[in-house]
Amino acid sequence: MTAHVLATAEDTRAFGQSLGAALRPGDLVILTGGLGAGKTTLTQGLAAGLGVRRPITSPTFVIARVHPSLVDGPALVHVDAYRLAGLDELDDLDLDTSLEESVTVVEWGHGLAEDLSDDRLEVVLEADPETEARTVTVTGHGERWQAGAPC
């Protein structure tokens, strides 16, 4: 588990870009944090690191968006589980059909998306309401991240 303090939204994007460059097809990233914690901002950075088509916006109303690669890498599947009532609704999205070829990022996925893969990164973002700085904690799970999280 590693923790970083990110002072600005740009720092959050840059951290995401660095993390995104370390991801490969089949990786699952679960993002947790309150409203305004920076989950979508971090995902914008992940997208830049992966070299996928943008813009990256919150998929709240469409639940999931697929962003194809522009550099012959994996697509980014960006999911917002905020409005999902449970694991059955997440399962209805058939994410497992694209999981092995894509990088899947699930916002609000804690308690829902862990069963998608034994190998996953859990990223927790906490915003300081006074300074807007974010603390990001990255924890790797499974054999893929046995040596630790990439950031």
Side-chain angles (χ1 to χ4, degrees), residues 53-124:
R53 188 174 63 206
R54 291 175 257 178
I56 305 298
T57 58
S58 178
T60 299
F61 297 106
V62 295
I63 310 292
R65 285 195 173 102
V66 177
H67 300 275
S69 176
L70 299 173
V71 295
D72 200 30
L76 171 66
V77 178
H78 185 198
V79 180
D80 188 325
Y82 183 75
R83 296 184 319 136
L84 298 180
L87 186 58
D88 288 341
E89 285 188 12
L90 183 65
D91 193 45
D92 287 345
L93 296 176
D94 285 331
L95 295 176
D96 52 344
T97 60
S98 63
L99 199 59
E100 298 209 9
E101 305 91 37
S102 305
V103 169
T104 303
V105 175
V106 184
E107 294 187 26
W108 301 98
H110 182 75
L112 286 174
E114 291 86 355
D115 288 339
L116 290 173
S117 177
D118 291 334
D119 296 316
R120 66 188 179 280
L121 286 178
E122 292 193 33
V123 179
V124 178

